[in-house]
Amino acid sequence: MPCEGKPRFVVLYGSQKGQAQSIAEWIAEEAEQHGLVADLSCLNQNEKFNLEKERAPVVFIVSTTGEGEPPENALRFVRGIRKKTLSPDHYKHLCYALLALGDTNYADFCNCGKKIDSRLQELGARQFYPTGYADDGTGLEVVVDPWIEGLWNGIREALSKMASDRTAHLKETVEDSILDIPNLSILDVHLNPLSISDQQNCEPVIASVNMDSKHASPVSSSASAVSDLSPASSAGSTRLASQSVGTGSVSISVPKAQTKDDGVSHAALAASLTSSLPPLSESSLNVPALPPPYLDVIFQEVDTEEQSIGPLNKESLYQVPISKAVQLSRGDSVKTALLVELDISAYPVMDYQPGDSFNVFCPNREAEVDSVLHRLGLQDKENHHVHVTLKKDTNKKGAQVPSHIPQNVSLLFLLTWCLEIRSVPKKAFLRALVEYTADCAQRRRLQELCSKQGAADYNLHVREPSLSVLELLAAFPSCSPPLSLLIEHLPRLQPRPYSAASSCLRHPGKLHFVFNVVEFPACSGRPAGGRGLCTGWLFDLIKPGLVFPVKAEPTSSLALPKVHVSLRPNCSFRPPSDPSVPFIMVGPGTGVAPFIGFLQQREEERRKNPEASFGETWLFYGCRHRDGDYLFREELESFVISGTLSHLKVCFSRDERKDEEAVTSAPRYVQHNLLLHCQQVTDLLLRQNGCFYVCGDAKNMAKDVNETLIEMIQTELQSDKLEAMKRLATLREEKRYLQDIWA
Ligand code: FAD
């Protein structure tokens, strides 16, 4: 409900994993501190907003998913604004700002945001504040924080302009109609009040410290003179709201202290998760507003112990047995690569095409769930049912019990299957934890980590090592949050997607996939290192039945468990529908997975239809060592022998080069091998209408391959870089340059 007297604006979000939603909620919550009131809605709640009539500024926060697609809850909106029947002045009245979220590791960075932005402008809408493009690959907050900081001024200026436009318009209308209504005066028209005092509404938190500047502020030191920012001492949580109001000029470039490339400040490098150095340890801090608590949790004792295992939404999932598990890499190799075969014969709906991937639903680790229970002091309540309800008096805009929180499940189930307990705590979460931290030095450090001044420390000690809330709580022992806070801040436990590494034609009723067990190094908040959640879990599951030789058949005594999976069809990452079209595949390491499916399918098609014309096929494969990590070696070589694979180009990045010549000419990575075959590859692509597929690591390999492709096209066309980039963009649009990559 709009507050009487406060100017309003609208916040609309489209969110896939909840990040855009939480930013939108954050903006709506902060609005009050800036003397504004926000109407918050999801883009699919079109009964809650009406852009056709909206006269207040509108702020869009939209993420991008899959291959540049809108999040599901923005699909309808995007389709709606795309309608060709809309006139170019359809949104002439609309004044908006847009924050696009994306990940530069993937193609079509921020595509959904960009599309909405340009379409709104085509329809006459005016932008009141520059669009922000936040990159999850480097840390959303690097752009999001300054963007929000400048937004408030933008909104005020927009309101001011809209009000004066309206006044002018009214004046014109009134004059035009020669005022035949005697009592109407322009001054009676209610305009949004604009006399908002920044000082009054946005008081920054000053948490100054008097301490010897030569010393860090270790959390164990309770003697440090950190200002107490508890609600009691700071006159209520609203006083803690603190984003200082921007000057009006919006800079969304990366601040120096926050970039890895430019180097974090010296102080940040010398500090640790739990301690800081000057100048941060001595700074006044701008900490974010305290997110209003919005959930109540009640425990209910139940008579029977719950046996529920597996995720809740069982109707869309299939529990399938693992029928085979093979270690593909040699024991001494740095990475452990495993192949898992699933028996999907009982579920014809799981029939897949090469190029499809599917989700594996894994639980949180038992030991970590136990640690959470102990840390929250709830170990004796693990079998109690948890009832989560909305706080009656919450100030949170659009508060709802998160959709991933089921009712009538045990606490154990909730922590095991519903919450991503390893997720990296956002700054809002750190801010909320401050309220439950007894020790002054620990409070101060948490405030630093979520403050504007502590952004580099947050990146270095929390975001980059992917610290989980459990690891954070271990480092801040006086912090004792309630369960409700974890439910408010932890996202849904996400399933992990894997690419199908087989073809149904070759293996009817079976689905193969391949993965590396992800290993995390130790760091200051995690002394022992660790394993990826899903890959570590799968490894433990299959270890008892693991076989080593690639062609080994499972022994009869093998009893492998079942896993929950769901299909994720991919409509574009498919072999060309016309078999005569040549194609090139680039898939180092486990990135070879979908291409095994492509080639098995092609081999079966050739067998069934020997007369048909089949285009050339190329595979560029790479790994560390020929002997230790060459996945599917025998199968790939047999594809070459059968003629299914026309060219197999392999390289080994860590194998010793035996002689001087090899040192200079042997390709190390797939992109080097591509360069060696520049002419053939570009000929297939540019003259023979061929397709180019890349699968695997998004962070390094896919980017390097992309750069190499640009270089190759440039050489081949004798053009400049821009021209080559355009050509590659066209190939992408024509769905002839396709990526299936993951970070
Ligand atoms: P998680 O616990 O989720 O960790 C995942 C990532 O978080 C790490 O890779 C790392 O980037 C980061 N991280 C977490 N903690 C740390 C830390 N302490 N230090 C540094 N970084 C950290 N993978 C395959 O192996 N084979 C496939 O065929 C495959 N296909 C995919 C298809 C698609 C469409 C997508 C989107 C992904 C695919 N993936 C594939 C990736 C896969 O889904 C998982 O992300 C991967 O297996 C890791 O899952 P995990 O739960 O073990 O790791």
Side-chain angles (χ1 to χ4, degrees), residues 243-441:
Q243 293 269 356
S244 60
V245 177
T247 56
S249 63
V250 181
S251 165
I252 53 170
S253 59
V254 181
K256 272 217 161 93
Q258 295 178 353
T259 57
K260 231 171 142 186
D261 292 345
D262 290 347
V264 284
S265 67
H266 174 73
L269 281 174
S272 74
L273 173 65
T274 52
S275 65
S276 62
L277 287 177
L280 181 61
S281 60
E282 295 174 334
S283 290
S284 297
L285 302 175
N286 292 89
V287 298
L290 179 69
Y294 69 100
L295 294 178
D296 277 329
V297 170
I298 302 166
F299 294 101
Q300 189 196 357
E301 216 167 327
V302 285
D303 298 335
T304 48
E305 244 182 54
E306 194 176 73
Q307 285 303 314
S308 184
I309 300 167
L312 259 198
N313 46 339
K314 294 210 170 71
E315 57 292 349
S316 54
L317 313 180
Y318 306 100
Q319 200 183 8
V320 297
I322 296 177
S323 43
K324 188 160 76 176
V326 182
Q327 176 152 341
L328 298 179
S329 54
R330 228 177 44 186
D332 56 355
S333 130
V334 173
K335 291 183 179 174
T336 307
L338 303 160
L339 177 143
V340 169
E341 180 186 82
L342 301 176
D343 181 352
I344 54 167
S345 52
Y347 301 103
V349 283
M350 278 289 293
D351 262 5
Y352 59 95
Q353 296 293 314
D356 284 346
S357 53
F358 65 98
N359 285 322
V360 173
F361 292 78
C362 64
N364 284 311
R365 290 192 90 84
E366 211 179 312
E368 289 169 30
V369 171
D370 271 356
S371 302
V372 174
L373 286 168
H374 277 85
R375 196 63 178 72
L376 301 187
L378 295 173
Q379 59 275 35
D380 57 337
K381 293 206 166 51
E382 63 173 40
N383 291 314
H384 286 38
H385 274 191
V386 182
H387 294 281
V388 181
T389 52
L390 272 189
K391 264 190 192 311
K392 294 229 160 53
D393 54 351
T394 181
N395 294 327
K396 184 180 163 71
K397 301 269 166 205
Q400 277 172 3
V401 176
S403 59
H404 56 277
I405 305 300
Q407 296 296 347
N408 291 321
V409 292
S410 71
L411 176 56
L412 193 61
F413 183 89
L414 189 78
L415 293 175
T416 306
W417 288 101
C418 307
L419 297 171
E420 186 94 49
I421 60 175
R422 283 194 180 186
S423 67
V424 180
K426 298 254 162 38
K427 288 181 186 172
F429 193 5
L430 296 185
R431 173 64 193 88
L433 288 173
V434 172
E435 303 303 300
Y436 300 96
T437 306
D439 179 88
C440 287

Side-chain angles (χ1 to χ4, degrees), residues 303-619:
D303 298 335
T304 48
E305 244 182 54
E306 194 176 73
Q307 285 303 314
S308 184
I309 300 167
L312 259 198
N313 46 339
K314 294 210 170 71
E315 57 292 349
S316 54
L317 313 180
Y318 306 100
Q319 200 183 8
V320 297
I322 296 177
S323 43
K324 188 160 76 176
V326 182
Q327 176 152 341
L328 298 179
S329 54
R330 228 177 44 186
D332 56 355
S333 130
V334 173
K335 291 183 179 174
T336 307
L338 303 160
L339 177 143
V340 169
E341 180 186 82
L342 301 176
D343 181 352
I344 54 167
S345 52
Y347 301 103
V349 283
M350 278 289 293
D351 262 5
Y352 59 95
Q353 296 293 314
D356 284 346
S357 53
F358 65 98
N359 285 322
V360 173
F361 292 78
C362 64
N364 284 311
R365 290 192 90 84
E366 211 179 312
E368 289 169 30
V369 171
D370 271 356
S371 302
V372 174
L373 286 168
H374 277 85
R375 196 63 178 72
L376 301 187
L378 295 173
Q379 59 275 35
D380 57 337
K381 293 206 166 51
E382 63 173 40
N383 291 314
H384 286 38
H385 274 191
V386 182
H387 294 281
V388 181
T389 52
L390 272 189
K391 264 190 192 311
K392 294 229 160 53
D393 54 351
T394 181
N395 294 327
K396 184 180 163 71
K397 301 269 166 205
Q400 277 172 3
V401 176
S403 59
H404 56 277
I405 305 300
Q407 296 296 347
N408 291 321
V409 292
S410 71
L411 176 56
L412 193 61
F413 183 89
L414 189 78
L415 293 175
T416 306
W417 288 101
C418 307
L419 297 171
E420 186 94 49
I421 60 175
R422 283 194 180 186
S423 67
V424 180
K426 298 254 162 38
K427 288 181 186 172
F429 193 5
L430 296 185
R431 173 64 193 88
L433 288 173
V434 172
E435 303 303 300
Y436 300 96
T437 306
D439 179 88
C440 287
Q442 292 177 26
R443 289 167 66 84
R444 164 72 194 191
R445 185 57 179 149
L446 286 172
Q447 284 158 359
E448 285 174 358
L449 288 171
C450 67
S451 71
K452 194 175 152 193
Q453 292 76 5
D457 272 28
Y458 173 80
N459 280 345
L460 196 62
H461 301 298
V462 181
R463 197 181 70 76
E464 280 168 19
S466 297
L467 218 62
S468 70
V469 67
L470 200 55
E471 288 158 340
L472 193 93
L473 290 177
F476 292 84
S478 82
C479 180
S480 301
L483 175 66
S484 59
L485 196 78
L486 267 65
I487 302 178
E488 284 169 6
H489 288 272
L490 291 177
R492 177 197 300 272
L493 178 59
Q494 294 283 345
R496 274 43 173 183
Y498 293 92
S499 309
S502 50
S503 153
C504 279
L505 293 184
R506 169 69 57 86
H507 299 282
K510 296 286 176 355
L511 168 57
H512 293 180
F513 66 103
V514 186
F515 62 94
N516 281 325
V517 180
V518 173
E519 307 272 356
F520 305 138
C523 65
S524 74
R526 185 190 304 117
R531 282 201 169 137
L533 183 67
C534 187
T535 54
W537 172 72
L538 282 169
F539 189 31
D540 290 345
L541 276 187
I542 62 179
K543 233 188 279 175
L546 200 58
V547 290
F548 290 83
V550 179
K551 284 185 179 152
E553 290 304 318
T555 58
S556 55
S557 62
L558 189 75
L560 285 164
K562 292 182 172 184
V563 288
H564 288 91
V565 295
S566 70
L567 195 60
R568 288 174 49 134
N570 185 328
C571 301
S572 47
F573 200 83
R574 293 268 162 85
S577 49
D578 175 355
S580 68
V581 170
F583 63 94
I584 299 148
M585 300 163 280
V586 180
T590 49
V592 72
F595 305 132
I596 297 296
F598 280 32
L599 292 166
Q600 287 181 355
Q601 180 103 347
R602 169 59 61 95
E603 192 146 275
E604 293 305 313
E605 285 165 357
R606 290 176 82 231
R607 204 167 285 161
K608 276 192 200 145
N609 205 352
E611 305 306 315
S613 131
F614 290 94
E616 251 180 61
T617 52
W618 289 66
L619 174 68

